[in-house]
Amino acid sequence: MNEINENYEKLTGVEKDFILSQLQKNLEDSKNESFEFVEENFPSYILDDLNDLILIMDCDRKIVFVNKKINNFGFSKKDFIGKEIITFFEVDVKKQIEYFFRRHNQNKLLIFKSSFSERNGEKIPFEFKLENFRLNDENFYILIGKDLSESEKYKKEIEIIQKSQETIRKALEVSQIGIWEWDVNCGKFSYDERYKEILGYTKDPFEGKWEKFEESINKEDTETLIKNIREHFLTKTSKFEGTYRIKDVDDNYKWFLSRGRVLERNKFGLPMNMVGAYLELTEDKKQIEEMKKEKDFIEKVVENMGQGLVLLDFDFNVKYANKSFYKMVEFDDRILDLKKVLDQRDWESFNENMQNLKRNTNNAISFESNLVTKSGVKVPVLITGVTYEEVGLSRIILVITDITEKKKLEEILKKYATFDDLTGSYNRRAGFYALEKYFQLAKRRQEPLSVVFIDIDNLKYINDNYGHDAGDYILRKVTDVLKNTLRESDLIIRVGGDEFVLGLPNAEEIDVHKIFERILSQLKEVKVDGNVRINLSYGVSEYKDFQKDINLESLIKEADNKMYEMKKAKK
């Protein structure tokens, strides 16, 4: 299994990111447990501290989760939970969202820009992404909103920068980019007021000296920072760049990114003056750490999800498979070719589906197939495939779901939908459907068909006096005698509590009476409590007048009437 983990680590960053992105589209298809979306069931702590606004809705457009970002706009979570998402958008956007929900857009993404009103009425520009995902067979929707106010501000600032040098300096102040200067000869170090504001000082914490500034940098960052400066001094790089941490007045670290360049060198080529710009990265670093934690979390989910996840190249070679897939096929060693675990009878159809997927890369494809485990056990699976392409990289992602239990359930449902549970004979719906087919075939071929209506005379008496277990025993015994006496092609249909209908192709009425002589003879041997015998009343209708306009219903009715005539004659 170590080889599997090493294989995962060898994937490119793009491949890993794509696998993680596909997880949000393919979770879920095999779990049968019901799921109620509450925060205890969901890792909300992952989303609460993200810088983007996150809302999750159920299939009725009701908001079931909103992260703490909503507090920044003067709202609380209670203001949103349980409300329809469209109530917070204008008419044109509402229509887009309603359409997206109506279409149940699985694996689709809606991106739109709209304003979002704070509680005080001020409108904030946002870019939203709306996407569908499934969790435990339930549809949910996630809306991710990115505040564009800072982005819009930066665009305006860049336009100002292009006009004049003086405007550039003013724009740097507004855009949170600071300026620093360093007189390398004397060690004087100066910077704008923003450095003090970020660190919370009223006076210069570095006392205008480079030496003091260097001492303030976190020791873990100092070595790399000085190395980068030295390489620029030696003209090995065209500019200096480095990230570092400095503690603020409250003893909390602030992250900075600095870039700079030597402006003047002496006649020996040694640097004299250097100027640069800096940007605070504290929030960005926090977001990166949150994203890393989230990515690590999703990687664990990918490895341990209930479905197999397989990554193929366009030649169908296995580039990666998760632990669930290897567990499904009982392999510890790395699998390079799916042929090794795919039922050979399914290979042709699998290959055809993969070729179709390559030709239609914008589509997803789902089909059933069979895997074969290392011990030779066949595992029915549902395979869902999607493609991913970018420059220099083409991949097929397969989500493989074990449907063994589903197949077993289908067989059970099929049985109950066709056969009577107690006797094993055809039930009324399936039996009459088959009898109609027999009737149409007899009419087309002009061959005789006999329909028999049977009633067990004393079943009610047995149920009342000996209990329903005894009655069930009689029903099963009657069915057994019928099955042992009739041909395999004859139909036995239980139509009610004590009533059966038989369909006997190529049999005339005189043949039926001979058959029932044998049936009644065998039933004489069946007794309840040693002395109660079983008897049947039956009626036969015969179809052999092929010129007569008649239907199956009238044949059954005729047999039913004759059965009652026999029953009446016994009284």
Side-chain angles (χ1 to χ4, degrees), residues 10-56:
K10 292 178 182 178
L11 294 176
T12 66
V14 174
E15 291 172 343
K16 287 184 179 180
D17 290 341
F18 178 66
I19 289 174
L20 300 181
S21 68
Q22 290 302 309
L23 171 66
Q24 297 172 340
K25 301 176 182 177
N26 296 290
L27 270 179
E28 0 331 338
D29 296 342
S30 62
K31 293 183 180 178
N32 295 318
E33 297 179 1
S34 61
F35 180 81
E36 182 180 1
F37 201 110
V38 292
E39 290 202 8
E40 287 78 7
N41 292 333
F42 189 76
S44 59
Y45 64 89
I46 294 177
L47 303 179
D48 267 335
D49 294 327
L50 294 181
N51 203 37
D52 292 335
L53 179 62
I54 309 290
L55 298 101
I56 296 177

Side-chain angles (χ1 to χ4, degrees), residues 195-325:
Y195 234 130
K196 289 189 293 185
E197 292 175 7
I198 294 171
L199 297 174
Y201 290 99
T202 56
K203 296 182 179 180
D204 179 5
F206 314 129
E207 301 175 3
K209 299 176 181 178
W210 172 264
E211 181 181 352
K212 289 287 186 180
F213 172 74
E214 187 177 327
E215 290 175 355
S216 302
I217 297 172
N218 182 281
K219 301 305 179 185
E220 296 178 5
D221 307 327
T222 303
E223 183 178 349
T224 302
L225 189 71
I226 298 302
K227 175 178 174 290
N228 293 344
I229 292 174
R230 185 179 296 111
E231 288 183 348
H232 179 57
F233 281 180
L234 298 174
T235 67
K236 292 182 179 180
T237 58
S238 59
K239 65 178 182 297
F240 151 75
E241 181 175 318
T243 56
Y244 51 91
R245 287 163 287 180
I246 295 179
K247 283 188 176 181
D248 64 12
V249 69
D250 296 320
D251 210 34
N252 298 315
Y253 277 114
K254 299 289 186 180
W255 278 95
F256 294 91
L257 167 66
S258 279
R259 294 188 178 98
R261 180 173 294 170
V262 172
L263 293 182
E264 184 181 1
R265 295 178 182 271
N266 62 21
K267 61 181 180 179
F268 302 108
L270 299 177
M272 297 177 63
N273 293 295
M274 190 173 180
V275 67
Y278 64 89
L279 179 68
E280 187 195 359
L281 296 177
T282 307
E283 290 302 317
D284 293 326
K285 283 287 186 179
K286 288 180 181 178
Q287 289 182 31
I288 290 171
E289 286 300 314
E290 290 294 336
M291 290 171 65
K292 185 178 182 301
K293 289 178 183 178
E294 184 175 0
K295 185 175 179 180
D296 291 342
F297 169 75
I298 295 177
E299 284 181 355
K300 291 179 181 177
V301 173
V302 168
E303 280 299 302
N304 298 285
M305 61 190 283
Q307 298 162 290
L309 188 65
V310 179
L311 179 63
L312 307 178
D313 62 21
F314 269 30
D315 293 322
F316 310 149
N317 298 310
V318 177
K319 306 302 291 183
Y320 165 77
N322 69 348
K323 291 179 181 178
S324 296
F325 172 77

